[in-house]
Amino acid sequence: MATLKDVARLAGVSVKTVSNVVNGYSFVKPDNRRRVEEALEATGYRPNLGARNLRRGRTGFIALVLPELSIPYFAELAGLVIAAAQDHEWNVLIEQTFGTLAGERSALASLGPHLVDAAILSPEALQVDDFQLPVPAVLLGEHAVDVPISRVGIDNVAAAQAAVRHLVSLGHQRIAAIGAHPHRGTAALRLEGYRRALAEASLPLVDELVVPALNYHRADGAAAMRSLLDLRTPPDAVFCFNDLLAIGAMRAAGERFVRVPQDLAVVGFDNNEESVYSSPSLTSVAPDKAAIAQAAVDLLHRRVESGDALENVETPFSLQVRESTVAR
Amino acid sequence: MATLKDVARLAGVSVKTVSNVVNGYSFVKPDNRRRVEEALEATGYRPNLGARNLRRGRTGFIALVLPELSIPYFAELAGLVIAAAQDHEWNVLIEQTFGTLAGERSALASLGPHLVDAAILSPEALQVDDFQLPVPAVLLGEHAVDVPISRVGIDNVAAAQAAVRHLVSLGHQRIAAIGAHPHRGTAALRLEGYRRALAEASLPLVDELVVPALNYHRADGAAAMRSLLDLRTPPDAVFCFNDLLAIGAMRAAGERFVRVPQDLAVVGFDNNEESVYSSPSLTSVAPDKAAIAQAAVDLLHRRVESGDALENVETPFSLQVRESTVAR
DNA sequence: CATCGTTGTTCCAACGTTGTAAAGACTGAG
DNA sequence: CTCAGTCTTTACAACGTTGGAACAACGATG
């Protein structure tokens, strides 16, 4: 692998002049510039990022800490973050926490200024004390706890409210919610949106229709749906806090010969690609994932470059209405 | 951020002694060791990986080059590769190519010994000339072209054959295949498995039943299925070269009121989690993804450590029979 | 022609780490 | 009490890069 020294020797100039050319710096005589460029070409020089970053005090990496890549939402988001990071010449390091406190703590511990310049976090279990981060960070989703860190995400209350309003507007009366969770900020907000939508329609909030889900996997949605169908009076509609729960719920409904959407309307959240092709296709709240990824990366870049203050960026969402919801 | 120097000063020893303690090296007096360890603890020292790797001539990273994280198969695989890489203290850098030649070339160009120690590649369009890699690499899937690089993957011919045999054993006679592709080695092998299974059952190979797919997304599967259903005599079963195609195919069948599995049996390939919860759930060839990830990382580690020769690792697969296939 | 400012180049040091070689401390044998 | 041998620590250099100071060359100015 060619180094600056090799290029310099070949071009007959000093190492620093080559460095200057490489970095587009200052004043270099056209003649020298040409010779250096030829030498660069000839040697196929590529800067050693480790050395450069050691010198510059940067690493060229950002961390993306998320529960699990096998969850479609995070996989899609990761892809978008990688793409957005390229604009700032950042490489992305992905850490999986599997949604556990231990996993999140160990991911955070491995972070540090020597490894990454900044971090994007999607925590699910972290406590206040954990947020002593050694690098600038931005939270995706919600502050589970009140902590001074930048955040990017949608208005979860409004989004959930929109989803449930949609069900209300179709004439549903007994609307269940799947995905309540004791420690997740996001869950609390979506539940609040659900509450508000019911309240404004003067529908009662029925405890037995609010079902918790510990993980947000398909299996959890199926289990929750089964428990709802076991009720004396099952719901006529269900709002799931993510698409995987909804997919699981639809599956469980199918197994009990409950037809979606005729007997049961289903709304999801995240708008996974999977939900467009499920049978029936799934009505879902669609956060603008590209906007989230872009905003998070840009925000961190500003923080690192100019030490900007904390920010709270709200990204848009929409409701994608599909086959899983029809009027009664 | 504390450096070796800080720790050394605090412990009252030289930098090198601290380095020796950190690396578990040679002989250090118990007394000094203790003092150093206390100082390490007190300062919260973490090695600067950039500097260490600069010195060691390693980077501590491997690249994972794949088409797209939003494809569930690759997302799952990426998660497993990250987990496997941790065992060797490797961080994983993910590059997306979006299945284009340009994307793959640019990903490869960005690779280099200064950035990564090794690379795991899932190419779809690369040509022979492109495989002048500057670091040890392993191919997942197939050699699209004949090229001297290690490979990890399943026996695609046998796997496809098993899938189609399953359809044959259920009494299907007109079995279509979706996913033929002019440049993908994997597609050619799965097609060969399809051919062999038909041949051994003395079923004719009908050209119009072999449908190409340019990408392997759900939309391509749906489009291919529509063209099959437009045939004068549509198939009674279809073997899709991945699960996304199968999901799309089932969706298209549903839209035409063709019932799966009664009117049409469907088999997929990859065994995505999505396929367990689709309605109907999808019979699918299940490669052992964890084994693939582990084998790929281990192989690279051996290559880097001891310069081992090329290898060709075959990982196991199984056929997961679900609702999408029943006897005629 | 001395001075000055501008432009262009080089030298040196430093980022934090570790391999090498050499120096220092200690042990036991003669 | 010396010497060899072993154990332990240290100084130094180097990995490839870049910021800053120093230096050189140049034309323009007084």
Side-chain angles (χ1 to χ4, degrees):
Chain A
M1 210 61 195
T3 72
L4 282 184
K5 207 154 90 178
D6 303 325
V7 180
R9 198 179 318 124
L10 187 61
V13 296
S14 78
V15 171
K16 189 65 211 290
T17 299
V18 181
S19 170
N20 285 339
V21 171
V22 170
N23 292 288
Y25 267 175
S26 69
F27 310 90
V28 180
K29 267 200 191 145
D31 185 43
N32 276 345
R33 161 156 281 140
R34 191 182 44 72
R35 289 225 309 290
V36 169
E37 274 163 356
E38 283 171 11
L40 285 171
E41 182 67 24
T43 53
Y45 170 79
R46 321 255 1 225
N48 180 320
L49 297 184
R52 169 179 285 176
N53 293 326
L54 171 61
R55 182 63 242 234
R56 287 190 179 163
R58 291 276 176 79
T59 72
F61 294 97
I62 58 174
L64 174 59
V65 179
L66 42 76
E68 212 174 328
L69 270 181
S70 63
I71 297 175
Y73 177 75
F74 291 111
E76 289 183 38
L77 200 63
L80 293 164
V81 167
I82 290 176
Q86 272 177 349
D87 300 344
H88 299 301
E89 304 199 303
W90 261 335
N91 279 107
V92 179
L93 240 62
I94 298 177
E95 302 254 7
Q96 300 184 98
T97 67
F98 301 99
T100 63
L101 183 55
E104 295 187 346
R105 288 215 170 118
S106 107
L108 253 54
S110 84
L111 261 50
H114 47 75
L115 187 57
V116 296
D117 298 330
I120 300 177
L121 312 175
S122 249
E124 299 196 331
L126 285 178
Q127 327 262 309
V128 183
D129 310 346
D130 296 314
F131 286 94
Q132 306 301 330
L133 297 172
V135 294
V138 54
L139 245 54
L140 299 187
E142 300 300 326
H143 287 190
V145 290
D146 196 30
V147 100
I149 295 194
S150 296
R151 176 197 94 101
V152 170
I154 66 172
D155 180 341
N156 271 291
V157 176
Q161 199 169 353
V164 178
R165 256 186 204 147
H166 167 67
L167 291 171
V168 168
S169 76
L170 293 175
H172 295 284
Q173 307 267 335
R174 249 180 103 70
I175 303 173
I178 295 180
H181 194 283
H183 303 306
R184 293 196 195 178
T186 306
L189 293 175
R190 293 185 187 169
L191 197 54
E192 176 59 23
Y194 165 80
R195 277 204 196 95
R196 290 195 194 168
L198 291 188
E200 75 187 1
S202 306
L203 289 172
L205 179 67
V206 183
D207 277 351
E208 64 180 13
L209 291 181
V210 175
V211 188
L214 278 187
N215 289 297
Y216 277 27
H217 288 196
R218 298 176 187 84
D220 303 297
M225 192 70 233
R226 281 185 210 111
S227 78
L228 283 171
L229 295 176
D230 285 339
L231 292 178
R232 185 189 306 255
T233 319
D236 57 6
V238 57
F239 168 46
C240 301
F241 288 7
N242 81 355
D243 275 9
L244 292 188
L245 291 172
I247 294 283
M250 293 205 297
R251 171 80 208 173
E255 285 169 358
R256 300 274 183 102
F257 306 104
V258 172
R259 294 166 304 164
V260 177
Q262 298 91 326
D263 306 332
L264 178 78
V266 179
V267 176
F269 204 115
D270 283 351
N271 196 40
N272 296 339
E273 177 78 1
E274 174 176 356
S275 308
V276 182
Y277 282 85
S278 64
S279 298
S281 60
L282 181 66
T283 294
S284 185
V285 174
D288 187 338
K289 293 169 204 136
I292 293 175
Q294 190 72 49
V297 172
D298 289 350
L299 189 158
L300 284 180
H301 193 250
R302 283 196 302 278
R303 275 287 293 285
V304 170
E305 287 295 307
S306 43
D308 276 14
L310 297 186
E311 296 180 54
N312 190 337
V313 178
E314 196 146 284
T315 52
F317 67 88
S318 62
L319 182 71
Q320 298 294 320
V321 177
R322 301 206 181 87
E323 298 163 354
S324 66
T325 52
V326 291
R328 292 234 71 180
Chain B
M1 207 62 197
T3 71
L4 283 184
K5 206 154 91 181
D6 303 324
V7 180
R9 197 179 318 122
L10 187 62
V13 297
S14 79
V15 171
K16 191 61 214 292
T17 299
V18 180
S19 170
N20 286 338
V21 171
V22 170
N23 293 288
Y25 266 177
S26 69
F27 312 90
V28 179
K29 270 207 187 138
D31 186 45
N32 276 343
R33 160 156 284 141
R34 191 182 43 71
R35 290 227 308 291
V36 169
E37 274 163 357
E38 282 170 14
L40 284 171
E41 183 66 25
T43 54
Y45 170 80
R46 319 257 1 229
N48 179 320
L49 297 185
R52 169 179 286 178
N53 293 327
L54 172 61
R55 182 61 242 235
R56 287 187 179 166
R58 289 276 175 80
T59 71
F61 293 98
I62 58 173
L64 174 59
V65 179
L66 43 75
E68 214 174 327
L69 271 180
S70 63
I71 297 175
Y73 176 75
F74 290 111
E76 291 184 37
L77 200 61
L80 293 164
V81 167
I82 290 175
Q86 272 176 349
D87 300 342
H88 300 302
E89 304 200 300
W90 261 334
N91 278 109
V92 179
L93 240 62
I94 296 177
E95 302 255 7
Q96 300 183 99
T97 67
F98 300 99
T100 63
L101 184 54
E104 297 188 345
R105 287 216 169 116
S106 106
L108 253 52
S110 85
L111 260 50
H114 47 75
L115 188 57
V116 295
D117 297 330
I120 300 177
L121 312 175
S122 248
E124 298 195 331
L126 286 177
Q127 327 263 308
V128 183
D129 311 348
D130 294 315
F131 285 94
Q132 307 300 328
L133 297 171
V135 293
V138 53
L139 245 54
L140 299 187
E142 299 301 326
H143 287 190
V145 290
D146 195 31
V147 101
I149 295 192
S150 296
R151 168 197 170 257
V152 170
I154 66 172
D155 180 340
N156 271 290
V157 176
Q161 199 170 352
V164 178
R165 254 187 205 147
H166 167 67
L167 290 171
V168 168
S169 77
L170 293 175
H172 296 284
Q173 308 268 334
R174 251 180 101 71
I175 303 173
I178 295 180
H181 194 285
H183 302 308
R184 292 195 195 178
T186 306
L189 293 175
R190 293 185 187 169
L191 197 56
E192 176 59 22
Y194 166 78
R195 277 204 196 96
R196 288 194 195 169
L198 292 188
E200 74 187 4
S202 305
L203 288 171
L205 178 70
V206 183
D207 277 351
E208 66 179 13
L209 291 182
V210 176
V211 189
L214 278 187
N215 290 296
Y216 278 26
H217 289 196
R218 298 175 186 84
D220 304 297
M225 192 70 233
R226 281 184 210 110
S227 79
L228 282 172
L229 295 176
D230 285 339
L231 292 177
R232 184 190 305 257
T233 319
D236 57 7
V238 56
F239 168 46
C240 300
F241 288 6
N242 80 354
D243 275 9
L244 293 188
L245 290 172
I247 294 284
M250 292 204 297
R251 171 80 207 172
E255 285 169 359
R256 301 275 183 101
F257 306 105
V258 172
R259 296 166 303 166
V260 177
Q262 299 91 327
D263 305 334
L264 179 77
V266 179
V267 176
F269 204 115
D270 284 350
N271 196 41
N272 296 340
E273 178 78 1
E274 173 176 355
S275 308
V276 182
Y277 282 85
S278 64
S279 299
S281 59
L282 180 64
T283 295
S284 185
V285 174
D288 186 338
K289 292 168 204 137
I292 292 176
Q294 192 71 50
V297 173
D298 289 349
L299 189 158
L300 285 179
H301 193 252
R302 283 197 301 277
R303 275 287 292 284
V304 170
E305 287 295 308
S306 43
D308 275 14
L310 298 186
E311 296 180 52
N312 189 337
V313 179
E314 197 146 285
T315 53
F317 67 88
S318 62
L319 182 71
Q320 298 293 323
V321 178
R322 301 204 181 88
E323 298 163 353
S324 68
T325 52
V326 291
R328 293 234 73 180

